[in-house]
Amino acid sequence: MTKRAPTFDPSHEYTAEARRSGGWWALSVPELPGVHSQVRRLEQSEMMIRDAISLAFDVPVSDVKVFGPIPVVNPEVDELIRTTREQRAELAELRTVVDILSRRLAHEMADEGIPVRDIASVLDVSFQHAAKLAKGA
């Protein structure tokens, strides 16, 4: 049985992996065997891998969606990267919730006539930030 060549799906977000090779990062897309590129810095990788996919499948770069790169170093470091990214995402969600609750609390306390300096103390924020929260809620 012959193996089918990969096809490009414009609705799919492809995952890029990056492996260190000398002073470079070698980029690949596991879902698209044969699509490779390289960069000096990870920040350059999204555009380079999008270009590589675009060239390999003769599609506009604007049609290519890429996630990553996911650095692949060794199992221990890879797990630390994954855990850190997950925790940062959870922290971002918590910050959003805390911001909403803080605005609501500051507004409610201000409506009760509680001075902004006391609101700042309760929220453990600066006076200026408490004033902004109390006004903006």
Side-chain angles (χ1 to χ4, degrees):
M1 180 180 347
T2 60
K3 193 173 183 180
R4 289 183 44 194
T7 57
F8 176 76
D9 177 0
S11 66
H12 184 72
E13 183 176 52
Y14 293 96
T15 301
E17 291 183 349
R19 287 177 172 76
R20 198 72 178 153
S21 178
W24 294 83
W25 286 97
L27 305 174
S28 63
V29 180
E31 302 111 316
L32 301 173
V35 174
H36 304 283
S37 191
Q38 64 181 11
V39 292
R40 286 259 186 213
R41 301 282 172 261
L42 286 175
E43 64 203 22
Q44 304 164 324
S45 59
E46 181 185 352
M47 192 62 224
M48 291 301 287
I49 206 68
R50 287 177 69 215
D51 279 345
I53 294 170
S54 169
L55 288 169
F57 293 95
D58 195 27
V59 297
V61 172
S62 59
D63 289 353
V64 179
K65 297 181 211 87
V66 174
F67 173 78
I70 307 283
V72 179
V73 182
N74 67 47
E76 185 177 321
V77 173
D78 297 349
E79 180 62 20
L80 282 171
I81 291 169
R82 187 192 61 72
T83 302
T84 300
R85 286 184 170 183
E86 287 174 1
Q87 293 297 309
R88 284 184 180 274
E90 286 181 34
L91 179 59
E93 290 176 25
L94 284 173
R95 282 186 175 143
T96 300
V97 170
V98 169
D99 287 345
I100 291 167
L101 291 172
S102 295
R103 276 191 218 99
R104 182 175 169 201
L105 177 57
H107 185 69
E108 294 289 330
M109 291 177 78
D111 284 352
E112 292 293 324
I114 298 171
V116 173
R117 291 207 183 272
D118 291 338
I119 296 170
S121 180
V122 168
L123 290 172
D124 195 26
V125 298
S126 70
F127 168 80
Q128 294 85 353
H129 189 61
K132 191 164 80 170
L133 289 172
K135 284 183 190 174

